[in-house]
Amino acid sequence: MKRGFLIKVVIGLMIAFLLGCGGGGGGVATTGTTSGTTSGTTSGTTSGTTSGTTSGTTSGSTSGGTGFASAFLSDDGTSRNLSDGFSRVWTSVVKIELKNSTDGSAVLFDNPLGETVDLKVLNNGSVAQFVNLARRSVAFGTYNSLEVTFGRDLMVFPFGSQNGEAAVYASGFNSGTDFSKVTVNLTTPVTVNATNPNVTVQFRLRGWTRTGNQVTPEIGLGTDSNFNSGTLHREWEYEGTISNLAGTAPNRTFTLTDADGSQFSVATSSTTKIFREDGVAGGTLANGIKVKARGAFNPTTSTTVAASIEIDDNVADNHNTEVGGQPLSPDEVTGKFTLVIEEWESELGFPSQDAVEIQTTGTTKYQNAQGQIIDKATAFQLLVGAGADAFVKVKGNYDRANNRVTATEVEFESDSGLGDDAFAIGTVKAVNRNAKEFTITIQQASGFQFTVGDDLVIKTDANTDFADIFGSPLSETAYYNALQSGIGVASVFAEGEIENGKLKARYADLDTGG
């Protein structure tokens, strides 16, 4: 596949910075103040995928030689402001750079087309989660500031809204005519070296505020002890060329070098699905071929463990948009289904709604999770049977006016790690303490189809974290006591995944109005 399009996407972000220990371990907290200016409209995108067109170099240095450092995105979630915060923010990150007082620098990420991401995937409602954005050769040394460049435009979704609202980054962060920049001056310099190679850019999405159409984000600083938990590293898609292929199938390792200068260490196993984009059987890895590897970072081995690898067919694309997410409401007769958006890449900008209609045609190509070509009837049977964590990727042409993508390709992927996030806010209607569940009347929600005023059952279990409105922990007993007393009055925020029509909560808090 040849990427033949650009996307007009831009955003503003305030950034925090922490440096991981060892091979991706917990961070050494840094502090600092933010300054800088932004503006502009940048073009280009990759969404949930690291590709693009830039060479990106590391210039200047402190002493210490060179080596690889990785950039991660996360959201520590320590702030929550339902009045000003957002459930989703689509942003395009362009460049991440460390600097020192002698003009030395370490460019951790550099893609003028931008990396598009919905920041909601960086926190599951109770703990931070991580996306490995880049791995580049940098000058090892000590740095005292962090600069993040991004585009100015963004699409924000106020809590509970299924419709995005176009906004721009606050004008105080303008940087030229095309880009926005945030500078974090670190009060304590940080050292990047072979034992401290991981840098995490952290967003506190729930603390973002907006005045008019200008958004001011919130910085989060500090060490996150969950970095070493492999289950909290999200799957991402990396596009590039294979080199240094080693090992014996199915246990292979290789370097994937993308167009932005990143070099990811990738490992395969017996569970990795390897297939050709054109659906022809017999996909085989080899040095020099172009692939899309989908996988999550393993903090123990510092490698990306591939869930699937798609071998490029070297055929030019005939679509302007790629979107991935959870499928809902399939109808084989009309050839339509709805996709709750988790990943987005388009030359036409950010998505304007929480979900998009997919329209298939007589020429749409369907591939199952093994990369095999299937017919429409089989594809819609899979769509009907899709669970809450199903993930489908669609390539096609986006019609913004009708919120529709006419599909040229529909690809089924399993264990995506990105298709299970949902939240709901509403008033307590009924409580079933014995079943460990309660019903709310929805006021706001995201991650599934709903109508304001619908009833939704929230299911809790031993893994649910309970809290009051300020985030202070509550026991299950105290939480359910407050629910019972607050029927018809108390407001609940719950986040988790939709399972059998109920929201299975990982996190739930309660505002009794007292």
Side-chain angles (χ1 to χ4, degrees), residues 325-344:
Q326 179 188 353
L328 298 172
S329 307
D331 185 339
E332 184 180 353
V333 176
T334 62
K336 296 179 180 180
F337 62 95
T338 298
L339 208 60
V340 179
I341 301 170
E342 298 292 348
E343 295 182 1
W344 180 268

Side-chain angles (χ1 to χ4, degrees), residues 460-474:
T460 66
D461 57 25
N463 296 316
T464 304
D465 293 322
F466 300 100
D468 63 20
I469 185 61
F470 303 107
S472 300
L474 293 176

Side-chain angles (χ1 to χ4, degrees), residues 222-300:
T223 301
D224 198 306
S225 59
N226 293 309
F227 186 92
N228 280 332
S229 175
T231 60
L232 295 178
H233 285 263
R234 309 305 300 262
E235 285 193 0
W236 211 242
E237 188 174 271
Y238 305 92
E239 182 176 357
T241 303
I242 290 178
S243 63
N244 303 318
L245 182 64
T248 303
N251 300 310
R252 311 296 300 271
T253 60
F254 61 88
T255 300
L256 185 152
T257 303
D258 71 11
D260 309 322
S262 282
Q263 298 182 45
F264 298 94
S265 297
V266 181
T268 69
S269 70
S270 59
T271 63
T272 304
K273 296 178 176 64
I274 302 173
F275 56 92
R276 290 170 50 128
E277 183 183 15
D278 56 15
V280 176
T284 303
L285 301 182
N287 286 324
I289 66 172
K290 186 177 179 181
V291 299
K292 286 183 178 179
R294 187 179 190 84
F297 181 78
N298 183 326
T300 301

Side-chain angles (χ1 to χ4, degrees), residues 31 73 157 168 178 195 203 226 237 259 274-275 297 337 351 367-368 375 409 472 503:
T31 59
L73 305 182
F157 288 69
V168 296
D178 294 327
T195 56
F203 313 96
N226 293 309
E237 188 174 271
I274 302 173
F275 56 92
F297 181 78
F337 62 95
Q367 283 184 281
N368 63 18
D375 60 21
E409 299 179 35
S472 300
L503 195 158

Side-chain angles (χ1 to χ4, degrees), residues 10 31 42 49 56 60 62 77 119 148 157 173 175 189 205 241 279 297 326 345 357 385 393 423 441 451 461 503:
V10 281
T31 59
T42 186
T49 138
T62 57
L119 297 183
V148 179
F157 288 69
F173 295 88
S175 178
L205 183 58
T241 303
F297 181 78
Q326 179 188 353
E345 174 184 353
E357 179 184 270
K393 190 167 187 177
F423 79 83
T441 301
T451 300
D461 57 25
L503 195 158

Side-chain angles (χ1 to χ4, degrees), residues 35 44 57 99 114 157 272 302 379 388 393 429-430 437 475 487 505 508:
S35 62
T57 59
K99 290 189 173 182
F157 288 69
T272 304
S302 294
K393 190 167 187 177
K429 182 176 182 179
E437 61 185 37
S475 67
I487 291 176

Side-chain angles (χ1 to χ4, degrees), residues 418-456:
L418 288 177
D420 55 4
D421 289 320
F423 79 83
I425 301 170
T427 304
V428 180
K429 182 176 182 179
V431 179
N432 187 339
R433 188 187 294 262
N434 291 334
K436 294 187 177 182
E437 61 185 37
F438 55 93
T439 303
I440 66 171
T441 301
I442 298 176
Q443 296 170 332
Q444 304 176 25
S446 180
F448 61 99
Q449 294 296 292
F450 72 96
T451 300
V452 172
D454 285 350
D455 288 345
L456 176 67

Side-chain angles (χ1 to χ4, degrees), residues 347-359:
E347 65 182 41
L348 300 181
F350 297 122
S352 60
Q353 296 188 33
D354 201 36
V356 65
E357 179 184 270
I358 305 300
Q359 175 68 69

